[in-house]
């Protein structure tokens, strides 16, 4: 192992660790801004860091080495998961099912990750987010109708409300946040 | 000092083989479990059409839907054959990663490309486990095959530092959220587990909810463990506390929250990075005891 190869290795490691730290600092800053509304980093610093990490070299490196994410698992708070319910009508018969036909718990978990998009509706309830949510719900209903051959399918998105310390005996509740027939988000 | 940290000390154990076997096994387990739903999530006729998936999240790199379309247009093979073929190829690569030592770089590179195009380039259906899977494959690709290689130590150090950053930022994020400090986050996480857990607490949760201080203690314990790991794991006196604390935390996550794949991968990381290379070992090597001489002559701890 030569001195040059060691130097190159150390430069590479410094880049690797800085990319990890950068993504995590931004993820933490985003979390803090969402919850408390204050900024962890000054605006110019945050913009500069974001621009650096979204440079094609850093972005591709982050994706392929798996470091292009924040490690704040369940932080700064535990989000409420979302669930999709499909209401199927076929020849006068009506039935409902949760998760559009997925059979495994890992498949359902992955599908729930996609539904986390609905979190943005409560964080940033703008027209684009609503448009995307509507498209997603409509497509879910359309795809399921095509696959199941039902006459009509309506899709509802619920947010799971876990029990709280104030009312521990209430159990888990469901609150509708979106449906293919229209918005129900405040 | 930096050079000494990365290059001087000999490697503590055969973490390389453990990392390859552990990563291959966990990824194989995960993809086999996903197989029945793979077509529904990643096929073109799944729960969401590929066009919408691409619209919701722009891909950085070549994503699986694009690759699938390209192969289909060239070969005209049915999509079902292609998606099931993908899972089969992924599973074979996982097995090869674990056992074909001589081919490990080629296999790790192929598996990393496939894993990335499936899960991290277009991460709509992904969660933390998929990114950590890429991290593990990345180290399998770059680290040498033999523990006696002069590059084994430097890559072990990078893995150790990476693990410390993972825990530090995870702990820092939790410390910033008031719900972790008052225990509500822990109560919520246990109340709505990500996947069906082995030990469901749903019936006991209403009773447990009457003791919020217990959850506050639990929340603080997680914060202290994660924040303290980055420093405490390097110190001989606290090494065991943090290593076994982290492994216990992941075992609890697997049992109570149902996140088996994530927990298994984190246990593999901990085992490879720190169990094979405890800080106490350096002390033994310097004291000139027969145990130290034996440890130095073998160079690494044998794999179980």
């Amino acid at each position: 192992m030569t001195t040059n190869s060691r130097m190159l290795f150390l430069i590479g490691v410094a880049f690797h660790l800085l990319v990890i730290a950068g993504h995590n600092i931004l993820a933490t800053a985003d979390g803090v801004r969402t919850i408390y509304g204050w900024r962890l980093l000054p605006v110019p610093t945050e913009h500069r860091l974001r621009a650096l990490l979204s440079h094609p070299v850093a972005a591709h490196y982050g994706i392929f080495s798996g470091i292009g994410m924040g490690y704040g698992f369940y932080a700064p708070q535990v989000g409420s998961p979302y669930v999709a319910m499909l209401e199927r009508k076929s020849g006068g018969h009506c039935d409902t099912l949760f998760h559009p036909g997925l059979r495994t718990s890992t498949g359902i978990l992955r599908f729930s990750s996609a539904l986390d998009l609905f979190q943005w509706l409560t964080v940033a309830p703008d027209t684009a987010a609503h448009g995307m949510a509507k498209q997603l719900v409509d497509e879910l209903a359309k795809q399921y109708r095509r696959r199941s051959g039902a006459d009509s399918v309506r899709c509802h998105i619920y947010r799971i409300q876990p029990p709280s310390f104030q009312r521990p005996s209430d159990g888990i509740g469901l609150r509708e946040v979106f449906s293919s027939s229209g918005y129900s988000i405040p | 000092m930096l050079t000494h940290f990365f290059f001087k000390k000999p490697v503590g154990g055969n973490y390389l083989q453990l990392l390859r076997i552990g990563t291959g096994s966990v990824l194989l387990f995960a993809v086999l479990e996903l197989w029945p739903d793979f077509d529904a999530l990643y096929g073109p006729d799944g729960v969401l059409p590929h066009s919408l998936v691409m619209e919701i999240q722009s891909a950085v790199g070549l994503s699986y839907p694009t690759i699938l379309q390209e192969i289909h247009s060239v070969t005209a093979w049915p999509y079902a054959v292609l998606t099931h073929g993908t899972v089969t190829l992924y599973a074979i690569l996982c097995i090869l990663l674990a056992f074909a030592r001589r081919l490990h770089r080629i296999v790790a590179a192929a598996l990393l490309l496939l894993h990335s195009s499936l899960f991290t380039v277009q991460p709509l259906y992904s969660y933390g486990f998929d990114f950590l899977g890429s991290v593990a494959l990345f180290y399998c690709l770059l680290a040498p095959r033999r523990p006696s290689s002069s590059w084994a130590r430097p890559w072990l150090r990078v893995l150790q530092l990476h693990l410390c950053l993972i825990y530090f930022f995870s702990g820092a994020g939790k410390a910033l959220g008031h719900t972790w400090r008052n225990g509500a986050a822990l109560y919520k996480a246990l109340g709505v587990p990500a996947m069906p857990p082995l030990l469901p607490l749903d019936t006991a949760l209403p009773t447990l909810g009457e003791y919020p201080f217990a959850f506050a203690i639990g929340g603080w314990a997680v914060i202290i463990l994660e924040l303290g790991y980055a420093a405490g794991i390097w110190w001989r006196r606290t090494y065991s506390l943090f290593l076994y604390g982290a492994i216990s935390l992941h075992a609890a996550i697997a049992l109570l929250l149902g996140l088996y794949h994530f927990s298994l991968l984190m246990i593999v990381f901990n085992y490879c990075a720190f169990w094979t290379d405890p800080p106490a070992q350096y002390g033994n090597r310097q004291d000139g005891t027969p145990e130290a001489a034996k440890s130095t002559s073998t160079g690494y701890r044998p794999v179980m």
Side-chain angles (χ1 to χ4, degrees), chain A residues 89-138:
Chain A
K89 278 183 189 159
S90 213
H93 179 71
C94 181
D95 61 355
T96 58
L97 89 157
F98 283 95
H99 322 296
L102 296 171
R103 288 171 283 175
T104 65
S105 50
T106 180
I108 292 166
L109 173 69
R110 287 177 182 280
F111 181 66
S112 301
S113 305
L115 295 182
D116 281 348
L117 286 172
F118 287 90
Q119 223 168 343
W120 291 107
L121 288 177
T122 47
V123 177
D126 57 14
T127 323
H130 269 235
M132 191 61 77
K134 169 120 182 70
Q135 207 179 342
L136 194 144
V137 168
D138 288 346

Side-chain angles (χ1 to χ4, degrees), chain A residues 163-169, chain B residues 187 204-213 215:
Chain A
S164 65
F165 283 145
Q166 286 76 35
R167 287 190 293 270
S169 54
Chain B
Y187 187 63
L205 222 57
T207 315
L208 293 171
E210 288 168 18
Y211 307 98
F213 69 91
F215 289 92

Side-chain angles (χ1 to χ4, degrees), chain B residues 170-194:
Chain B
S170 182
K174 288 183 178 78
L176 287 166
H178 66 278
T179 53
W180 273 98
R181 300 194 299 266
N182 66 19
L186 192 59
Y187 187 63
K188 192 173 176 179
L190 292 171
V192 193

